[in-house]
Amino acid sequence: MKTYDAIVIGSGMTGGWAAKELTEHGLETLVLEAGPMVTPADYVEHVPPWEMKFRGLGDRKKQLARQPIQKECYACDEWSSKFFVDDIDNPYTTADGKPFLWLRGRHVAGRSIMWGRQVYRWSDLDFEGNLRDGIAVDWPIRYADIAPWYDHVEEFIGISGEALGLPQLPDGRFLKPMDLNCGEVMMRDVIAKHWSGERVLTIGRCAVLTEAHNGRAACHYCGYCERGCITLSYFNSINATLPAARQTGKMTLRTDSVVHSLIYDRKKNRVSGVRVIDGVTKHALEFRGRVVFLCASALESARILLNSATPEFPAGLANSSGELGHNVMDHIMGGGATGKIAAPADRNTVGRRPNGIYVPRFRNLPGGPKSPFLRGYGFQGGASRAGWWRGTDLPGFGADWKRQLETPGDWHMSFSGFGECLPRHENYLEIDRTKTDAWGIPVIRISVAYSDNERALMEDSSLAAAEMLAAAGAWDIEPGTEFSPPGKAIHEMGTARMGRDPRTSVLNAHNQAWDIPNLFCTDGACMTSSACQNPSITYMALTARAANYAVDAMKRNEL
Ligand SMILES: Cc1cc2nc3c(=O)[nH]c(=O)nc-3n(C[C@H](O)[C@H](O)[C@H](O)COP(=O)(O)OP(=O)(O)OC[C@H]3O[C@@H](n4cnc5c(N)ncnc54)[C@H](O)[C@@H]3O)c2cc1C
Ligand code: SF4
């Protein structure tokens, strides 16, 4: 049996990066992906509703039967539902009274196909947060450790955005920013006038090209990126990292390869390979590798390690700390506010800009006032005019009513809060021995709930958004009061955290398992806290950093 230099499990946001970095350093790398191949021929962003069987409304019977959980995601519509898992084949269970939405895809490129592309660096405010507040454990790295890797990732994938010079949201290597529309410009100016030095409204920083970059074309604002992109204008693994890995001639990508567990060599204290169930034939297979990168996503990587228990690691492989599966976090949403604003009535938006606005965290900043809760939140959102779909609210009928619908309605402004979630040991997942998935692999049982701190900062986000709208003279202001269940933000993380001490963390400062040196985990499982920024750019930077560390360690014959 061939022994690969490296095995990467998963080909999504992080797996693509691991594959690229490892192969570019000359490692023969096997990428094991549970789902089928996806190519740009599968992209459907330009298919109009009238060419869809259900006119874009979706096959509701089928979704209820096969995707009752996935349909809760805004992006799982008639076009993109094919990029989300079948919930019956991929089940999980939850603790009583603790709902959790596990929203995901199982195909080459994973959720990098459907993601919202918002990318925000973390700062030392985030990396020092746990230490400062005496919560959980300290991150083993600081901003200076990861900053060059943010540069490395951003330069390759292409990020558009505006530099602001804010310490809590470091600037990156930006392509030119997208424009704010006139409603957003109005809001930006109101915020600058009333909250100068505290709050800033800027255009979202996003992994969408505003200029041709690395052989990929600039975005043409068709606007439905979660359906794919034939011009490769936003970043996903198929558009960028996997082609780079393939170009080296060193990557073998095996699709329909559902990883069951890792094979542990007790004598060498190394992972020697991977057990796989073929997704189509359901035959059991094994593959050998010198190092293994777990990039199957935060919950799935923990599941694989828990399913890999051995006599030496009865509570799960690499789990001498007892923290594997614990400290699950996801951003809380549902706070913020919407309202109608008096932006110019004679102006409208042009095209479908695949991006919104961002208001970086402004609560609990160093030297600023202290809030009655820990950490903070940021706002995403934007201004838009109501379209013809407002017909159900418009009184009248007949030709006059139709004519009214031909002109755009009021300007609306929305601010959606994304709040930081604290790491807590009691938020955990475990193997549910009563259930298996379609490949006979034991599933996870998730037990996660938000605390008063997350709820308090979401309530504050609704008040803060409403006061910004009021300052702009908005009317019909509606503050958000229903907060999302865990999982809904699709930023789940923390199940195999990094730390400084093997007794309290699973991974060291290089995403390497404390217990088993040739095992790395670089997806969201590794996160020690959650900050309030969208996390994927940090996962990618950590993956590139860990891959380069592993290559160097292999050269030194340490692995
Ligand atoms: C609609 C939506 C919007 C989002 N918006 C944003 C955003 O704006 N900004 C942001 O930062 N993040 C966003 N996210 C989250 C982002 O997509 C994830 O953080 C990111 O994809 C996680 O990367 P990953 O590599 O850990 O997992 P994934 O990208 O999910 O990839 C995991 C891969 O592993 C494979 N896999 C799973 N189990 C196995 C197994 N047992 N064996 C083999 N392979 C396996 C999967 O098939 C998949 O290909 C969004 C997600 C969604 C769905
Ligand atoms: S909006 Fe831009 S990035 Fe999104 S699918 Fe269209 S061209 Fe691609």
Side-chain angles (χ1 to χ4, degrees):
M1 183 185 288
K2 174 170 178 166
T3 299
Y4 290 89
D5 294 327
I7 296 181
V8 176
I9 301 173
S11 66
M13 196 83 75
T14 58
W17 265 99
K20 172 185 173 310
E21 296 294 310
L22 295 169
T23 55
E24 286 182 346
H25 283 93
L27 266 56
E28 286 277 346
T29 303
L30 172 67
V31 180
L32 293 169
E33 166 52 52
M37 184 58 90
V38 173
T39 70
D42 297 303
Y43 293 163
V44 285
E45 77 276 22
H46 293 154
V47 179
W50 56 89
E51 284 180 15
M52 299 299 290
K53 187 170 177 199
F54 294 93
R55 302 294 183 260
L57 294 174
D59 184 343
R60 277 167 283 184
K61 257 191 201 162
K62 190 171 163 204
Q63 271 209 327
L64 268 179
R66 305 301 304 194
Q67 293 184 310
I69 297 165
Q70 305 307 308
K71 74 176 176 50
E72 296 299 319
C73 176
Y74 70 93
C76 184
D77 60 13
E78 190 173 345
W79 290 264
S80 301
S81 56
K82 65 179 180 180
F83 296 133
F84 286 81
V85 293
D86 178 312
D87 289 318
I88 309 305
D89 286 347
N90 296 277
Y92 63 95
T93 59
T94 51
D96 287 346
K98 293 187 177 177
F100 188 98
L101 295 175
W102 191 10
L103 304 170
R104 61 209 149 118
R106 267 208 167 186
H107 46 251
V108 171
R111 287 175 293 186
S112 73
I113 293 191
M114 312 87 90
W115 72 313
R117 308 158 306 281
Q118 293 294 301
V119 285
Y120 301 99
R121 290 186 178 204
W122 289 26
S123 71
D124 275 337
L125 180 67
D126 306 306
F127 290 112
E128 290 171 0
N130 284 356
L131 183 66
R132 193 175 47 242
D133 298 330
I135 287 200
V137 297
D138 186 19
W139 274 90
I141 58 168
R142 291 292 182 262
Y143 182 67
D145 297 305
I146 195 174
W149 298 100
Y150 279 134
D151 291 348
H152 179 69
V153 168
E154 288 171 354
E155 276 164 8
F156 180 75
I157 73 181
I159 306 291
S160 64
E162 180 191 21
L164 296 170
L166 298 175
Q168 76 271 33
L169 194 78
D171 296 327
R173 303 285 169 113
F174 297 138
L175 306 178
K176 70 176 182 206
M178 294 184 185
D179 289 331
L180 296 174
N181 64 39
C182 62
E184 294 159 352
V185 167
M186 187 190 118
M187 242 3 271
R188 180 196 63 193
D189 295 346
V190 167
I191 292 172
K193 184 171 155 212
H194 291 265
W195 288 276
S196 168
E198 184 193 310
R199 303 183 197 178
V200 188
L201 184 153
T202 184
I203 186 71
R205 294 175 176 176
C206 73
V208 175
L209 303 181
T210 46
E211 306 159 39
H213 184 75
N214 280 344
R216 292 159 46 219
C219 168
H220 51 268
Y221 284 39
C222 67
Y224 295 114
C225 313
E226 64 277 4
R227 300 174 190 171
C229 178
I230 54 167
T231 52
L232 317 184
S233 305
Y234 77 87
F235 169 78
N236 69 31
S237 307
I238 296 170
N239 295 355
T241 39
L242 292 174
R246 172 152 289 131
Q247 213 174 2
T248 63
K250 300 276 184 187
M251 177 178 75
T252 305
L253 171 60
R254 192 179 195 281
T255 57
D256 298 299
S257 303
V258 185
V259 171
H260 174 286
S261 51
L262 307 185
I263 304 165
Y264 176 64
D265 180 337
R266 183 169 56 89
K267 288 201 196 97
K268 295 186 180 149
N269 187 34
R270 294 286 188 272
V271 171
S272 57
V274 175
R275 293 183 199 95
V276 164
I277 309 293
D278 187 281
V280 179
T281 64
K282 300 200 175 169
H283 289 159
L285 306 163
E286 287 186 7
F287 297 92
R288 305 263 150 195
R290 288 172 60 205
V291 292
V292 172
F293 268 70
L294 263 175
C295 299
S297 80
L299 306 192
E300 186 71 25
S301 288
R303 176 188 180 200
I304 291 170
L305 290 174
L306 289 168
N307 272 329
S308 307
T310 66
E312 298 76 21
F313 294 103
L317 199 63
N319 188 22
S320 64
S321 66
E323 292 296 334
L324 179 65
H326 290 267
N327 312 298
V328 179
M329 297 167 273
D330 181 36
H331 292 141
I332 187 166
M333 300 190 308
T338 61
K340 294 179 184 169
I341 54 171
D346 59 342
R347 298 182 69 184
N348 200 0
T349 50
V350 180
R352 296 193 204 97
R353 186 191 62 195
N355 194 10
I357 59 102
Y358 194 63
V359 178
R361 173 175 162 185
F362 52 89
R363 292 293 190 225
N364 291 320
L365 298 185
K370 287 269 163 284
S371 302
F373 48 80
L374 295 172
R375 318 286 169 98
Y377 51 83
F379 286 118
Q380 298 179 28
S384 58
R385 295 194 75 166
W388 55 263
W389 55 87
R390 75 188 189 282
T392 45
D393 295 334
L394 201 68
F397 60 93
D400 187 44
W401 183 80
K402 284 192 212 161
R403 249 191 309 277
Q404 285 189 59
L405 282 182
E406 281 171 8
T407 53
D410 291 319
W411 277 99
H412 288 69
M413 182 74 211
S414 75
F415 292 103
S416 307
F418 279 70
E420 175 158 359
C421 172
L422 297 175
R424 283 189 301 277
H425 185 80
E426 64 268 27
N427 282 338
Y428 70 101
L429 60 87
E430 61 190 338
I431 298 299
D432 184 338
R433 298 279 162 209
T434 65
K435 211 174 175 103
T436 54
D437 65 13
W439 299 272
I441 305 174
V443 306
I444 51 171
R445 178 176 177 276
I446 306 172
S447 179
V448 174
Y450 288 129
S451 73
D452 289 345
N453 197 69
E454 284 91 38
R455 282 185 288 272
L457 55 83
M458 266 304 90
E459 277 160 16
D460 188 77
S461 81
S462 296
L463 291 174
E467 73 184 354
M468 291 192 291
L469 288 165
W475 65 100
D476 291 351
I477 297 174
E478 291 180 23
T481 51
E482 278 186 30
F483 305 144
S484 59
K488 181 109 191 217
I490 327 179
H491 295 161
E492 73 281 0
M493 56 182 120
T495 50
R497 70 184 175 196
M498 293 164 75
R500 295 175 184 271
D501 184 343
R503 288 168 304 180
T504 55
S505 56
V506 180
L507 306 170
N508 68 16
H510 299 283
N511 294 76
Q512 183 181 28
W514 286 111
D515 292 333
I516 305 172
N518 69 336
L519 173 61
F520 291 79
C521 177
T522 66
D523 54 32
C526 73
M527 304 297 273
T528 313
S529 68
S530 74
C532 64
Q533 299 91 311
N534 307 56
S536 302
I537 188 84
T538 301
Y539 303 168
M540 290 190 265
L542 287 171
T543 302
R545 181 173 176 269
N548 282 266
Y549 173 85
V551 168
D552 289 345
M554 286 172 92
K555 281 187 195 149
R556 294 191 302 267
N557 278 331
E558 285 173 15
L559 299 183

